[in-house]
Each structure stands twice: as structure tokens, then as C-alpha cells.
């Protein structure tokens, strides 16, 4: 199978990149014409993708806001993409944050974006290597691991296959952190529309093969929190997780094909 043209490590600024596509869908400015063209191709196969992207990002904002109310001031954002529109350090400007992404091009651009913020670092690493992440200079110079830390894994685990044992990966992060740390997680779930969209994209744009996705069922997402105290309202469709009363509510939010939750290490 050919390598996707936006795969980690192969993209310069002239090539499309999923992190910059996400920035484009979020209304950001850190994207190019190539990214916008790829975004159009993706939307032609799956028109609801920008909505999914925005819904996950809004969930991030609500999770970070709740964590700050709980006294958390340290965050590790795994698979973060570009630290732009409504990202962690913008929602919680007093917090210390380490962004982590596997793509060197994204990490390089991310470092430029946060260069003037001494409380924020950007690490290029694979989230599936928790020892490398937690032992990195970026983590040790930015965070105090003797104090609680919130690990965020939002809208990224569909890129992690079951063979990588993501349950064990997340457990290693939480085992290494202080009691009172948190895990915030969102996951696009398995549904026939998403699977059909992947197949449609492949038939329409065979020269731009998609990466492999693992869309899990909600009950599988719940298992990522094993051994932790899941906070209310539980692991639920993302629009139902503490919706902002000032925002226009989703229609039929219980049908959203993705769920999220927040849990505390006891």
C-alpha cells in the first residue's frame, strides 16, 4: 500500500497535513492551499468531518475548563496537532502544557507557534512510547511530575491500532503520575457512515490512500479508564458531556458517533 502523502515525517509545508487540515476546519490560519484542497477531498467523501473536528475541540475546551476548576495546572496533550484554535494553553493560560505529536513537521511548526510562551513546550514523540514522553526534557523542564497532571488523548486514538495495546499505553502514563492526576479522552466511534466514508474516499482518491483507522465501540472506550474514577456524566456522546448552556445545543446529541469522558487516578 502506498504511503499517504500526509503521513508523519514526509510532509514539508508544501504538502498537505492532517494537523493543518484540522486547523483549517477549526477556523485557524496555520494551513495552506494544499491543506485546504485535501480538506475538500475529505469532505467530499465525509461531509460531517468538519463538524466532528469542531465537536472534539469544543469537548477539549470543556474538559480543560473543568480540570482548571478542579485545581489542575499541568497538562500533557498527546497527539495534539498544532497548538492553535482553542487549544489547551489558550483555554487555561496560566497552565503549564506539553504538546506531543509524532509528526516532525507539525512539531517544528508547533514550536514556532508557542515559542514566546515559557510555560508551554512541544515534544516530537510517539504517544505509544510513554517512557520516552515522560522522560523527555520537555516534560521535565515544564512539568512537576510529583504533582497531579492531566493527560489528554482527544480525537487521536483512532490512529492507534489494537496491536499497539493502547489500554496498556494509557495505563503506563497514569501509573507514572501522581495520585489525583486525570485522563481526558475522546474517541470517534465505529459506525456504518464512517466506514462507508473511508471506502468512498479510497474509491475516489486512490492515489491518496488513507491511514489505517480503528473506530472502536463505546464500551471499548470505557475500558480505557479501567482502575480510575470516572467523573460525571460518565463516558457519553461528546455533545452530552457538560454542554455549554450558552451554545446552541446539538440536535439528537445522543446519536453523535463519538464519546468522551474524564477520570481521576485514585
Amino acid at each position: 500500500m502506498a504511503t499517504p502523502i500526509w503521513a508523519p515525517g514526509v510532509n514539508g509545508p508544501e504538502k498537505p497535513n492532517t494537523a493543518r487540515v484540522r486547523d483549517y476546519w477549526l477556523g485557524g490560519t496555520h494551513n495552506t492551499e494544499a491543506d485546504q484542497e485535501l480538506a475538500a477531498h475529505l469532505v467530499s467523501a465525509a461531509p460531517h468531518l468538519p463538524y466532528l473536528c469542531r465537536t472534539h475541540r469544543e469537548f477539549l475546551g470543556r474538559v480543560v475548563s473543568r480540570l482548571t476548576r478542579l485545581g489542575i495546572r499541568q497538562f500533557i496533550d498527546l497527539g495534539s496537532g498544532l497548538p492553535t484554535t482553542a487549544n489547551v494553553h489558550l483555554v487555561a493560560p496560566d497552565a503549564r502544557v506539553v504538546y506531543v505529536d509524532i509528526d516532525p513537521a507539525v512539531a517544528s511548526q508547533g514550536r514556532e507557534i508557542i515559542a514566546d510562551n515559557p510555560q508551554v513546550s512541544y515534544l516530537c514523540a510517539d504517544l505509544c512510547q510513554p517512557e520516552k514522553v515522560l522522560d523527555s526534557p520537555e516534560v521535565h523542564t515544564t512539568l512537576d511530575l510529583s504533582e497531579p497532571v492531566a493527560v489528554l488523548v482527544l480525537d487521536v486514538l483512532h490512529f492507534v491500532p489494537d496491536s499497539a495495546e493502547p489500554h496498556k499505553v494509557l495505563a503506563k502514563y497514569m501509573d507514572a503520575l501522581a495520585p489525583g492526576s486525570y485522563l481526558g479522552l475522546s474517541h470517534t466511534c465505529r459506525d456504518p457512515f464512517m466506514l462507508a466514508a473511508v471506502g468512498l474516499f479510497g474509491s475516489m482518491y486512490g492515489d491518496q490512500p488513507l491511514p489505517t483507522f480503528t473506530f472502536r465501540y463505546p464500551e471499548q472506550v470505557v475500558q480505557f479508564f479501567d482502575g480510575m474514577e470516572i467523573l460525571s456524566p460518565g463516558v457519553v456522546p461528546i455533545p452530552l458531556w457538560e454542554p455549554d448552556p450558552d451554545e446552541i445545543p446539538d440536535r439528537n446529541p445522543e446519536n453523535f458517533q463519538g464519546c468522551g469522558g474524564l477520570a481521576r487516578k485514585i
Side-chain angles (χ1 to χ4, degrees), residues 9-244:
V10 302
N11 294 337
E14 74 284 356
K15 296 288 184 68
N17 181 289
T18 52
R20 294 193 296 267
V21 168
R22 181 185 295 179
D23 176 74
Y24 172 64
W25 284 336
L26 292 171
T29 59
H30 296 274
N31 54 80
T32 67
E33 289 186 9
D35 302 315
Q36 295 167 21
E37 181 179 353
L38 174 58
H41 290 170
L42 291 168
V43 168
S44 67
H48 59 305
L49 279 178
Y51 162 72
L52 287 175
C53 180
R54 291 192 297 269
T55 301
H56 280 281
R57 182 53 57 92
E58 290 164 0
F59 174 73
L60 181 148
R62 301 197 300 275
V63 167
V64 171
S65 295
R66 182 165 179 180
L67 286 166
T68 58
R69 294 195 300 271
L70 292 169
I72 297 298
R73 295 294 182 270
Q74 302 190 109
F75 296 84
I76 300 175
D77 188 356
L78 300 173
S80 62
L82 292 173
T84 58
T85 310
N87 220 315
V88 181
H89 73 286
L90 300 174
V91 178
D94 295 331
R96 288 171 284 163
V97 184
V98 177
Y99 292 109
V100 181
D101 200 280
I102 194 174
D103 191 326
V106 173
S108 177
Q109 189 173 1
R111 291 188 187 107
E112 293 178 3
I113 292 169
I114 54 90
D116 295 331
N117 192 330
Q119 298 190 139
V120 184
S121 298
Y122 207 112
L123 170 64
C124 184
D126 184 348
L127 69 85
C128 291
Q129 298 178 345
E131 295 88 354
K132 181 177 180 180
V133 172
L134 294 172
D135 291 340
S136 68
E138 288 83 355
V139 166
H140 281 282
T141 58
T142 306
L143 308 178
D144 178 359
L145 297 187
S146 68
E147 297 293 329
V149 176
V151 175
L152 304 177
V153 198
L154 304 183
D155 195 22
V156 69
L157 285 176
H158 55 274
F159 290 122
V160 180
D162 290 334
S163 60
E165 299 184 301
H167 295 81
K168 292 183 179 179
V169 169
L170 296 180
K172 287 181 179 178
Y173 281 104
M174 301 316 299
D175 288 346
L177 298 177
S181 293
Y182 289 84
L183 174 63
L185 189 152
S186 71
H187 203 305
T188 299
C189 292
R190 187 177 180 88
D191 76 281
F193 298 106
M194 184 61 72
L195 296 175
V198 171
L200 179 60
F201 185 91
S203 64
M204 294 171 65
Y205 306 104
D207 60 331
Q208 299 183 18
L210 287 170
T212 301
F213 294 115
T214 303
F215 298 119
R216 298 178 173 91
Y217 294 104
E219 54 268 28
Q220 294 175 289
V221 178
V222 173
Q223 293 171 3
F224 287 126
F225 296 111
D226 282 352
M228 304 183 68
E229 176 191 0
I230 299 177
L231 277 61
S232 65
V235 180
V236 298
I238 292 173
L240 294 177
W241 199 91
E242 290 198 349
D244 188 334

